[in-house]
Amino acid sequence: MKHKTLQRMYKMLRPQAKSIAIISILAILINIGEVVKPYLIKIVIDDYLTANLYQKGIMTIGMIGAIYIAIVVIGNILDFIVATATSMMGENVIYSIRNKLYRYTQYANIPFHDKTPAGTLFVRITSDVEDITTLFKEVITTFIKDVFMIIAFVVMMLSLNYKLALYAFLVIPLVIVTSVIITKISNKIQEYSKAVKTKLNIFLAESIYGVKLIKIFNRQYEKQEECEKLCTQFWKSRIPTGITEALLVAILMILENLGIAIIVWASIYYLIGSSVDVGLVYVFVTYIKQIFSPINRLVENFETVQEAIVSIHKIYDILEQKEPLENFEEGKVLEKIEGKIEFKNVWFAYQGENWILKNISFTIEPGQSVALVGKTGSGKTTITNLINRFYEIQKGEILLDGINIKDINLRSLREKIGIILQDPFVFARSIKDNIQLNKHFSDEYIKETIKLASADEFVNNLPNGIDEMSLERGSSYSSGEKQLLAFARIFAHNPSIFILDEATANIDTKTEELIQKSVDKISKEKTSIFIAHRLSTIVNVDKIIVLSQGEILEEGSHIELVNKQDGYYSKLYNAYYKGLV
C-alpha cells in the first residue's frame, strides 16, 4: 500500500517539480532571515546595551537595526512571492487533475459508467480534487521549509551554548511521541469521516438529480430523514477529529511553555556551569518558540496529508480502472457507408455467462427499415448498443458494410449512427447548442431541421427562438418537446443509420403523424431500426425481427408474420389489437 501511495503521489508531484524546487529555495531564504533576526537582537543586548555602547568598531546599533529592517522587508517580499506561486501551483494541480478526471469519464466505456454512480464521479471531480490542492498549497512546499527551519534552529542553539540547548531539547521527544500517537488516532478517524462524507455527497447529488421522482412519490419527508441521518453521522464523525486537533494543539502549547521554563531554569549558573547572558536567554526563548511553530505545523499537516492520500487513492482508483478507455484514434475511418448491418452468431452477456443474446444472426440491407419486437428484457436495446459498440461481444461478429465494427474507427462509426432514445437528454444550453452539439450549423439549416422534426411551432413560440436557453436537463420543456428537439438534433447531424428506441412515446398523435412522415421520408434513403412497444407504429417497416429471451423467434414483414398461424408475432399483435379495442 505504501509503495502504491508513493507511486501515485510521484505521478502528481512530477509535473510540479520545478515549481516546488523554486518555491522551496525562496522559503529557505525566508527561514534564514527568521534565524538571523533574533541573533541580531542578541548582539544588540549582549554586546551593546549591557556595555552601554552605541558603536562597536564600524558597526552601530543603527546599522544593525537597518539590517534587521532589510531582512524583514526582503522576507515579506519573498513571502508574497512564495504565497502567490504556491497558490498558482495549487490551481494548476486542480486544473490538471480535474481535466484528467473529466477526460477519463468521457472516454471511459459504458460498462465503467454502468457500475460507477454519477454522484461518485461528481465527488471525485470536486471535493476530492480540492483536498489534493490543499496538499500542494499548504504541505508540500512548507514541509521543506519547516524541516530546514527546525535543523537551522537546532544547529544555531547548539553552536551558541550546547549545554543550554540540550536542556531545551528535553521536550522534543515528548512532542514527537505525542504527535505520533494523536496523529495515528486522527488518521483512522479521518478515514472513516471521509467515507461518510462521500456517502453524504453521493446522496445529495442523487436527491437533487431525482427531485422530480421524489415529489411524484411524495417522499420528501423520508428523504429529509435520510439526509438528517447522514448529516448526523458525518457530524458525529467530525467530533473526534475536532477533539484530537484541539488536544494536540493544547499539548504542544504546554510543551512549548515547558521548554521556555526549562531554558530560564537552566540559565542558573550552577546548572550549566557558566554564566548566561541576557541576550542568549532571549535568543533561546525565541528559538524554542519558533521551533515549535514548524513542528506544530508539520503535525497539523499530517491530517491534511491523510485527507489528500485518501483522495489520491479514490481518484487513482478511477483513473487506474481495468476497464479500457475507448480508442477514437485507431481503426478504419469510413467516409461513406451503404448501411448494411450483419450479426453473425453473436453471443453477448453484460456479466459472466448470463447471456442476453444467444447466437443471434440476421442481416439488414442498405436502406431497409427494420423493427425489433419482443418483451422487456428480450435483447432489443442491447442489439442497438452493440451496433454502436458501447459493449464488446464475447462471440461472433458484427459487420457494417462487410467490415467488422471492431476494425472501424469509433468516432467514424458513431458519426454514421444516430439514436433517439425514449427519454432524450437536453443540456442547459440554447436550443441551437443542443442541436449542434459543438458542431457548426447555419441558423437556416437548424431551422430547416426543426421544421422537419415538426418542432417549428414549439420553438417559434419561445421568446428567443433557437437562442432560448434550456434549464438543467431540459426541465423547462415537456417530455414531448424534448423528443422533438431530439428528432431535430438527429436530422441535423444526418447519420447514415437511424435507430429509434420508442422515440415517439411522449408525443401527441397529431405531431407523431407529422414526424412519422419525416421518418418515412428519411427511411427510404437510410437504414432504419425501430424498437417499438406500440405495434401500430411498425406495420409499414420492411422487416420485423421478433426476439424472446435473447433469441430470434421470427423474421418477416408485418403481413407475413400476422398471417403465420400460431406465430409469436401474430399472437402478440392480436393481443395488442384486442387491447386497443
Side-chain angles (χ1 to χ4, degrees), residues 37-47 160 279-280 282-283:
K37 285 193 297 183
Y39 186 73
L40 290 177
I41 294 176
K42 174 204 175 296
I43 291 173
V44 170
I45 293 172
D46 291 341
D47 295 354
L160 288 171
L280 184 64
Y282 166 80
V283 82

Side-chain angles (χ1 to χ4, degrees), residues 431 435 443-444 446-452 454-468 477 481 484-485:
I431 297 285
I435 291 174
D443 289 359
E444 292 73 19
I446 290 173
K447 288 174 183 177
E448 283 178 18
T449 60
I450 288 172
K451 188 174 181 180
L452 187 63
S454 300
D456 49 335
E457 183 179 350
F458 144 58
V459 173
N460 290 338
N461 285 331
L462 295 172
N464 299 307
I466 62 173
D467 294 315
E468 181 73 13
Y477 310 127
E481 288 169 339
L484 292 176
L485 288 179

Side-chain angles (χ1 to χ4, degrees), residues 10-229:
Y10 176 71
K11 284 181 184 178
M12 304 188 77
L13 290 172
R14 186 171 55 187
Q16 307 298 330
K18 189 180 288 184
S19 298
I20 292 172
I22 294 171
I23 291 170
S24 298
I25 291 169
L26 293 177
I28 287 171
L29 292 176
I30 296 170
N31 288 346
I32 292 172
E34 293 300 313
V35 174
V36 171
K37 285 193 297 183
Y39 186 73
L40 290 177
I41 294 176
K42 174 204 175 296
I43 291 173
V44 170
I45 293 172
D46 291 341
D47 295 354
Y48 290 83
L49 298 182
T50 55
N52 291 320
L53 295 174
Y54 171 76
Q55 184 171 350
K56 196 173 182 182
I58 61 170
M59 293 295 293
T60 65
I61 292 178
M63 291 175 67
I64 294 172
I67 294 170
Y68 188 95
I69 292 170
I71 291 172
V72 171
V73 172
I74 294 170
N76 279 293
I77 293 171
L78 292 177
D79 198 40
F80 170 77
I81 294 170
V82 167
T84 304
T86 303
S87 179
M88 289 179 66
M89 183 179 67
E91 295 304 322
N92 287 337
V93 171
I94 285 184
Y95 174 84
S96 174
I97 297 174
R98 188 163 285 157
N99 274 289
K100 191 179 291 185
L101 270 171
Y102 181 77
R103 184 184 184 279
Y104 187 91
T105 61
Q106 293 301 301
Y107 282 83
N109 58 19
I110 296 298
F112 165 80
H113 287 283
D114 287 342
K115 67 182 181 182
T116 310
T120 299
L121 294 175
F122 181 77
V123 171
R124 298 292 169 269
I125 295 173
T126 53
S127 63
D128 284 331
V129 172
E130 293 290 343
D131 289 342
I132 292 173
T133 306
T134 306
L135 175 70
F136 280 83
K137 285 185 175 181
E138 298 180 9
V139 179
I140 298 296
T141 50
T142 59
F143 176 79
I144 297 172
K145 170 186 172 184
D146 290 337
V147 170
F148 175 84
M149 185 175 282
I150 292 168
I151 294 171
F153 284 144
V154 168
V155 171
M156 198 72 176
M157 291 167 76
L158 287 170
S159 62
L160 288 171
N161 190 313
Y162 77 93
K163 290 182 180 179
L164 192 58
L166 292 175
Y167 275 104
F169 296 157
L170 287 175
V171 295
I172 291 180
L174 294 175
V175 173
I176 295 171
V177 171
T178 303
S179 300
V180 169
I181 292 172
I182 295 179
T183 301
K184 281 187 175 181
I185 297 170
S186 181
N187 288 347
K188 291 181 180 179
I189 295 168
Q190 188 62 43
E191 193 171 341
Y192 170 72
S193 179
K194 186 78 174 176
V196 176
K197 181 182 177 183
T198 300
K199 191 175 178 181
L200 174 61
N201 285 335
I202 291 171
F203 167 81
L204 293 173
E206 289 178 344
S207 296
I208 293 169
Y209 294 150
V211 68
K212 282 190 176 180
L213 188 64
I214 293 170
K215 289 181 179 293
I216 287 169
F217 286 93
N218 197 27
R219 309 316 291 168
Q220 293 93 328
Y221 178 76
E222 287 77 10
K223 283 293 178 182
Q224 180 62 39
E225 280 190 327
E226 191 176 348
C227 180
E228 288 178 3
K229 184 179 178 181

Side-chain angles (χ1 to χ4, degrees), residues 341 343 357 360-364 368-388 419 497-503 527-539 541-548 550-556 561 568-569 572:
I341 300 170
F343 273 55
L357 299 181
I360 292 288
S361 295
F362 63 82
T363 300
I364 302 175
Q368 194 173 36
S369 58
V370 174
L372 303 177
V373 175
K375 293 180 180 178
T376 301
S378 60
K380 304 185 297 296
T381 301
T382 299
I383 287 175
T384 62
N385 285 334
L386 295 180
I387 294 171
N388 272 279
I419 301 181
I497 298 171
F498 277 88
I499 299 174
L500 281 71
D501 189 350
E502 197 62 40
T527 303
S528 305
I529 301 172
F530 301 89
I531 297 175
H533 296 100
R534 291 187 289 178
L535 300 183
S536 59
T537 61
I538 59 167
V539 294
V541 298
D542 298 322
K543 181 164 68 172
I544 295 171
I545 298 174
V546 183
L547 297 159
S548 178
E551 297 179 298
I552 295 177
L553 297 184
E554 299 170 328
E555 283 186 68
L561 295 179
Y568 184 87
Y569 179 81
L572 202 65

